[in-house]
């Protein structure tokens, strides 16, 4: 619920949650800084692949904040916000749905206890990666793109980026670097689900 409120309050320039009609300030600032940091990390990583003349050369997160606002205005901090939200939705859908299904299948196969929890979380980590990578790819392309020599941007929107990527490389183009992405995403998903499982069991055992 808190994450939903924070996203809505960022979208609404008044900082008002459209469901409760209450002023929400801290979550909106948190979401703004979170989006800025994600944008900063993507662009710093992309700098290493660009010619020296095309690099942004951010010295640190604070320098990137001032540079983005100076060059693109406040709206520049929200570059890639749409695909970032969709990526998070896809990741959580793949992770949570497959974890529950994997638990049922492993239990039916006679696997129980810690082995079931670990095995289900590993399967969920794979699906979390598979579901979210296409959206992560589009998000990264949008956040790191720079104007072409004629001043136009390579992509006009996330949909435009997805369509051009598909036209150039087919569906597998969205899965470039999947092994590396899996190694980054799967451990996080597995730890989240393992801790969630034990916390839920502890709450049930103690009457919460």
């Amino acid at each position: 619920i808190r994450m939903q409120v924070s996203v809505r309050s960022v979208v609404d320039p008044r900082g008002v949650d459209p469901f409760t009609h209450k002023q929400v300030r801290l979550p909106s600032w948190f979401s703004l800084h979170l989006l800025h940091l994600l944008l900063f990390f993507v662009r710093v990583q992309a700098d290493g692949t660009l010619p020296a003349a095309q690099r942004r050369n951010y010295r640190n997160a604070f320098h990137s904040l001032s540079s983005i606002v100076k060059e693109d205005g406040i709206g520049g901090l929200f570059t890639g916000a749409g695909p970032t939200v969709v990526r998070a939705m896809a990741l959580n859908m793949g992770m949570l749905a497959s974890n529950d299904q994997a638990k049922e299948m492993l239990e039916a196969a006679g696997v129980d206890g810690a082995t079931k929890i670990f095995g289900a979380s590993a399967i969920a980590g794979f699906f979390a990666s598979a579901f979210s990578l296409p959206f992560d790819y589009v998000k990264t392309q949008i956040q790191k793109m720079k104007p072409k020599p004629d001043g136009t941007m390579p992509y006009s929107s996330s949909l435009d980026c997805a369509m051009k990527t598909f036209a150039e490389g087919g569906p597998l183009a969205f899965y470039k670097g999947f092994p590396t992405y899996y190694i980054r995403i799967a451990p996080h998903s597995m730890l989240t689900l393992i801790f969630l499982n034990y916390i839920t069991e502890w709450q049930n055992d103690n009457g919460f």
Side-chain angles (χ1 to χ4, degrees):
I1 294 174
R2 175 59 62 190
M3 182 55 70
Q4 291 174 341
V5 171
S6 68
V7 172
R8 292 170 189 152
S9 60
V10 169
V11 174
D12 190 334
R14 300 170 300 170
V16 177
D17 179 76
F19 288 82
T20 63
H21 304 291
K22 294 180 180 180
Q23 196 76 20
V24 184
R25 296 185 181 276
L26 289 178
S28 65
W29 278 108
F30 172 78
S31 297
L32 175 61
H33 290 310
L34 180 59
L35 286 170
H36 158 242
L37 287 174
L38 292 173
L39 181 61
F40 166 68
F41 290 139
V42 168
R43 289 186 172 177
V44 165
Q45 291 175 340
D47 256 12
T49 65
L50 296 173
Q54 297 180 21
R55 295 176 184 173
R56 293 182 170 90
N57 295 317
Y58 295 145
R59 293 191 297 270
N60 51 52
F62 297 105
H63 178 238
S64 72
L65 177 63
S66 61
S67 297
I68 293 170
V69 172
K70 183 178 179 180
E71 295 171 6
D72 304 320
I74 293 294
L77 297 175
F78 296 96
T79 302
T84 297
V85 172
V86 177
R87 170 193 176 276
M89 293 167 59
L91 189 151
N92 281 283
M93 180 181 69
M95 177 177 71
L96 297 174
S98 62
N99 182 62
D100 289 339
Q101 185 65 41
K103 279 183 178 179
E104 293 179 6
M105 294 175 66
L106 290 172
E107 200 167 287
V111 180
D112 206 355
T115 304
K116 179 188 75 173
I117 295 169
F118 182 83
S121 67
I123 295 171
F126 173 83
F127 282 101
S129 304
F131 273 59
S132 62
L133 181 54
F135 301 103
D136 185 84
Y137 180 86
V138 171
K139 174 189 78 71
T140 301
Q141 298 306 308
I142 292 294
Q143 290 181 327
K144 75 176 186 180
M145 67 178 178
K146 298 195 70 174
K148 295 187 287 188
D150 61 1
T152 61
M153 301 300 284
Y155 309 111
S156 60
S157 65
S158 300
L159 180 60
D160 181 53
C161 175
M163 291 177 65
K164 287 180 178 177
T165 301
F166 184 84
E168 293 172 4
L172 292 181
F174 294 99
Y175 286 92
K176 291 179 180 177
F178 180 78
T180 303
Y181 185 74
Y182 174 78
I183 291 172
R184 179 165 68 91
I185 295 298
H188 157 262
S189 299
M190 291 174 66
L191 288 173
T192 299
L193 293 169
I194 290 170
F195 281 121
L196 175 62
N197 184 86
Y198 284 115
I199 290 172
T200 301
E201 287 185 357
W202 181 83
Q203 288 179 323
N204 292 336
D205 291 342
N206 290 273
F208 288 100

